[in-house]
mmCIF file of all heavy atoms in Angstrom:
data_model
loop_
_atom_site.group_PDB
_atom_site.id
_atom_site.type_symbol
_atom_site.label_atom_id
_atom_site.label_comp_id
_atom_site.label_asym_id
_atom_site.label_seq_id
_atom_site.Cartn_x
_atom_site.Cartn_y
_atom_site.Cartn_z
ATOM 1 N N ASP A 1445 -81.292 42.527 -24.509
ATOM 2 C CA ASP A 1445 -82.672 42.377 -24.058
ATOM 3 C C ASP A 1445 -83.172 40.946 -24.187
ATOM 4 O O ASP A 1445 -84.377 40.708 -24.323
ATOM 5 C CB ASP A 1445 -83.593 43.336 -24.819
ATOM 6 C CG ASP A 1445 -83.386 44.775 -24.377
ATOM 7 O OD1 ASP A 1445 -83.029 44.989 -23.210
ATOM 8 O OD2 ASP A 1445 -83.579 45.679 -25.208
ATOM 9 N N SER A 1446 -82.259 40.006 -24.104
ATOM 10 C CA SER A 1446 -82.634 38.597 -24.179
ATOM 11 C C SER A 1446 -83.082 38.105 -22.806
ATOM 12 O O SER A 1446 -82.267 38.027 -21.881
ATOM 13 C CB SER A 1446 -81.450 37.757 -24.652
ATOM 14 O OG SER A 1446 -81.724 36.381 -24.467
ATOM 15 N N PRO A 1447 -84.362 37.768 -22.650
ATOM 16 C CA PRO A 1447 -84.828 37.293 -21.346
ATOM 17 C C PRO A 1447 -84.078 36.047 -20.875
ATOM 18 O O PRO A 1447 -83.689 35.965 -19.710
ATOM 19 C CB PRO A 1447 -86.308 36.977 -21.579
ATOM 20 C CG PRO A 1447 -86.682 37.627 -22.843
ATOM 21 C CD PRO A 1447 -85.437 37.814 -23.634
ATOM 22 N N ILE A 1448 -83.841 35.095 -21.771
ATOM 23 C CA ILE A 1448 -83.205 33.849 -21.356
ATOM 24 C C ILE A 1448 -81.765 34.076 -20.896
ATOM 25 O O ILE A 1448 -81.284 33.398 -19.987
ATOM 26 C CB ILE A 1448 -83.294 32.765 -22.463
ATOM 27 C CG1 ILE A 1448 -82.903 31.389 -21.924
ATOM 28 C CG2 ILE A 1448 -82.448 33.128 -23.662
ATOM 29 C CD1 ILE A 1448 -83.845 30.845 -20.895
ATOM 30 N N LEU A 1449 -81.081 35.033 -21.494
ATOM 31 C CA LEU A 1449 -79.716 35.322 -21.051
ATOM 32 C C LEU A 1449 -79.709 35.976 -19.678
ATOM 33 O O LEU A 1449 -78.855 35.661 -18.838
ATOM 34 C CB LEU A 1449 -78.986 36.197 -22.072
ATOM 35 C CG LEU A 1449 -78.604 35.494 -23.373
ATOM 36 C CD1 LEU A 1449 -77.974 36.481 -24.348
ATOM 37 C CD2 LEU A 1449 -77.668 34.322 -23.110
ATOM 38 N N HIS A 1450 -80.652 36.865 -19.426
ATOM 39 C CA HIS A 1450 -80.732 37.461 -18.083
ATOM 40 C C HIS A 1450 -81.076 36.390 -17.044
ATOM 41 O O HIS A 1450 -80.510 36.371 -15.955
ATOM 42 C CB HIS A 1450 -81.752 38.606 -18.058
ATOM 43 C CG HIS A 1450 -81.213 39.854 -18.662
ATOM 44 N ND1 HIS A 1450 -80.294 40.660 -18.032
ATOM 45 C CD2 HIS A 1450 -81.444 40.421 -19.870
ATOM 46 C CE1 HIS A 1450 -79.988 41.674 -18.806
ATOM 47 N NE2 HIS A 1450 -80.672 41.559 -19.932
ATOM 48 N N TYR A 1451 -81.969 35.489 -17.405
ATOM 49 C CA TYR A 1451 -82.332 34.403 -16.502
ATOM 50 C C TYR A 1451 -81.116 33.506 -16.244
ATOM 51 O O TYR A 1451 -80.820 33.159 -15.095
ATOM 52 C CB TYR A 1451 -83.485 33.588 -17.091
ATOM 53 C CG TYR A 1451 -84.049 32.554 -16.157
ATOM 54 C CD1 TYR A 1451 -85.000 32.898 -15.205
ATOM 55 C CD2 TYR A 1451 -83.633 31.222 -16.226
ATOM 56 C CE1 TYR A 1451 -85.524 31.943 -14.347
ATOM 57 C CE2 TYR A 1451 -84.159 30.266 -15.367
ATOM 58 C CZ TYR A 1451 -85.100 30.632 -14.431
ATOM 59 O OH TYR A 1451 -85.617 29.693 -13.577
ATOM 60 N N SER A 1452 -80.412 33.163 -17.294
ATOM 61 C CA SER A 1452 -79.236 32.304 -17.165
ATOM 62 C C SER A 1452 -78.152 32.964 -16.323
ATOM 63 O O SER A 1452 -77.536 32.314 -15.467
ATOM 64 C CB SER A 1452 -78.677 31.962 -18.552
ATOM 65 O OG SER A 1452 -79.622 31.242 -19.304
ATOM 66 N N LEU A 1453 -77.926 34.240 -16.538
ATOM 67 C CA LEU A 1453 -76.945 34.961 -15.723
ATOM 68 C C LEU A 1453 -77.375 35.016 -14.263
ATOM 69 O O LEU A 1453 -76.551 34.849 -13.362
ATOM 70 C CB LEU A 1453 -76.738 36.378 -16.269
ATOM 71 C CG LEU A 1453 -75.684 36.501 -17.355
ATOM 72 C CD1 LEU A 1453 -75.786 37.854 -18.045
ATOM 73 C CD2 LEU A 1453 -74.293 36.296 -16.782
ATOM 74 N N ALA A 1454 -78.648 35.250 -14.042
ATOM 75 C CA ALA A 1454 -79.150 35.275 -12.660
ATOM 76 C C ALA A 1454 -78.860 33.955 -11.965
ATOM 77 O O ALA A 1454 -78.403 33.944 -10.816
ATOM 78 C CB ALA A 1454 -80.647 35.580 -12.648
ATOM 79 N N LEU A 1455 -79.092 32.849 -12.649
ATOM 80 C CA LEU A 1455 -78.837 31.536 -12.041
ATOM 81 C C LEU A 1455 -77.352 31.326 -11.764
ATOM 82 O O LEU A 1455 -76.988 30.767 -10.722
ATOM 83 C CB LEU A 1455 -79.376 30.417 -12.930
ATOM 84 C CG LEU A 1455 -80.882 30.358 -13.088
ATOM 85 C CD1 LEU A 1455 -81.267 29.198 -14.002
ATOM 86 C CD2 LEU A 1455 -81.583 30.235 -11.751
ATOM 87 N N GLU A 1456 -76.505 31.771 -12.670
ATOM 88 C CA GLU A 1456 -75.057 31.630 -12.456
ATOM 89 C C GLU A 1456 -74.595 32.475 -11.273
ATOM 90 O O GLU A 1456 -73.821 32.017 -10.436
ATOM 91 C CB GLU A 1456 -74.283 32.010 -13.720
ATOM 92 C CG GLU A 1456 -74.466 31.040 -14.863
ATOM 93 C CD GLU A 1456 -74.080 29.613 -14.521
ATOM 94 O OE1 GLU A 1456 -73.001 29.393 -13.934
ATOM 95 O OE2 GLU A 1456 -74.878 28.693 -14.828
#
Side-chain angles (χ1 to χ4, degrees):
D1445 288 330
S1446 168
I1448 192 66
L1449 288 176
H1450 282 286
Y1451 187 83
S1452 298
L1453 273 167
L1455 294 180
E1456 291 303 313

